[in-house]
Amino acid sequence: MRQPPQQGNNRTGITASGGLGEEMVAATREFRPSSPGTAQAIAEVRVSYVQDDGSLGEISPPASFVDKAKSAITAATGGQPVLLLDKLGERLAFEHSGARLYEALLSKHQAYGGFAGGPSAQDLLHILQEEYEHADMLQQAIEDLGGDPTALTPAANLAANMSSGLPQVLSDPRTNLLQSLEAILVAELADNECWTALEELAAQAGHDELAEHCRQAIEHERDHLRNVRRWVAAGQSRDGAAAGAEPPGPSSQGQARRRA
């Protein structure tokens, strides 16, 4: 199911309109903006909004005094308990979103069928199952640290805004399987990078079991990214082996712990 761009009557570019395009450009010189203002004025408004507004949110304190005490000890030993909870919330929200993306991708596969070198439905179900497992692990980790897994943390809020276009691509009935895989590739790149950071934060805070869970998730995510890259390359008749650099692995601290 390779669907290269079809040649047709695309009129979004100005050159397709011939003389009408030239008249449109000329009109911008004849009809000046109806309101005063410059790019500098816009920048000044942006700066004033930044100075007046708060942040994307805050992290709720641990549910119990015992957890507060643990957090204080962690902070004293170099860990960043608030940042760790923030990033755990981010990954949990992203894994939930990732599962929904793969659910939508399965619908694309059912609608369009596969293509040579592309994923089977079973391949996609396997990744979807691992996304569910990652979400369960993260939810348990947040609860163990005294956090609320239902809370939208600032990092989760930021990630949701950054990736808000991906569900739109997958849910758009006009996008085919290959185009949807290109959107999934963006999600997998971000996922690999952020899992590595989370593993490092967990290790720094002394949560060795959580860090090990993160390393296992990183191995899964590396496989996801490697496979999606190969499928996209196959759909574009490219050599999958040369589709890109190796995905990022566990942090150097994590690798050192494994060698120890």
Side-chain angles (χ1 to χ4, degrees):
M1 187 225 58
R2 293 172 188 161
Q3 295 189 9
Q6 303 296 311
Q7 188 171 6
N9 188 25
N10 186 330
R11 301 187 64 81
T12 57
I14 192 171
T15 56
S17 299
L20 291 176
E22 296 175 2
E23 292 179 15
M24 185 177 69
V25 173
T28 63
R29 292 189 288 270
E30 181 178 353
F31 303 101
R32 311 302 298 178
S34 58
S35 58
T38 63
Q40 180 58 36
I42 294 173
E44 290 172 358
V45 171
R46 290 194 186 111
V47 170
S48 68
Y49 280 175
V50 170
Q51 291 174 336
D52 291 342
D53 280 359
S55 64
L56 281 175
E58 298 174 339
I59 303 294
S60 300
S64 69
F65 174 81
V66 173
D67 293 316
K68 288 181 180 178
K70 287 181 179 177
S71 296
I73 293 172
T74 300
T77 55
Q80 303 179 76
V82 174
L83 180 58
L84 178 59
L85 271 176
D86 191 15
K87 291 300 183 182
L88 281 168
E90 175 197 65
R91 289 273 44 77
L92 177 57
F94 204 89
E95 292 298 312
H96 282 154
S97 297
R100 287 192 285 272
L101 291 179
Y102 274 99
E103 289 168 351
L105 189 61
L106 275 163
S107 298
K108 296 289 185 181
H109 191 280
Q110 183 177 357
Y112 287 97
F115 55 85
S120 66
Q122 191 58 41
D123 291 330
L124 302 180
L125 281 170
H126 176 74
I127 294 178
L128 176 59
Q129 182 59 41
E130 289 186 338
E131 300 290 355
Y132 289 147
E133 293 171 0
H134 295 169
D136 289 343
M137 182 273 287
L138 289 163
Q139 178 171 333
Q140 186 62 54
I142 293 171
E143 291 174 348
D144 290 345
L145 291 172
D148 179 358
T150 66
L152 180 68
T153 70
N157 194 0
L158 178 62
N161 280 291
M162 288 192 294
S163 60
S164 60
L166 300 179
Q168 296 178 36
V169 173
L170 270 292
S171 61
D172 190 328
R174 299 169 299 175
T175 56
N176 61 30
L177 178 61
L178 176 57
Q179 291 165 331
S180 300
L181 281 168
E182 291 185 60
I184 290 285
L185 179 57
V186 173
E188 291 293 359
L189 285 166
D191 220 8
N192 271 263
E193 182 68 23
C194 292
W195 270 109
T196 303
L198 183 60
E199 179 261 335
E200 190 167 352
L201 285 171
Q204 286 178 347
H207 298 292
D208 295 336
E209 184 176 353
L210 174 57
E212 179 56 32
H213 286 319
C214 290
R215 285 191 282 276
Q216 293 171 6
I218 289 170
E219 291 300 320
H220 294 163
E221 297 296 348
R222 292 185 71 182
D223 286 341
H224 300 176
L225 178 55
R226 190 179 298 109
N227 286 331
V228 174
R229 277 176 164 162
R230 180 166 51 82
W231 295 332
V232 170
Q236 297 172 344
S237 300
R238 292 189 289 115
D239 180 5
E246 186 71 5
S251 69
S252 56
Q253 292 183 1
Q255 292 174 345
R257 284 182 174 83
R258 283 189 159 187
R259 288 194 295 268

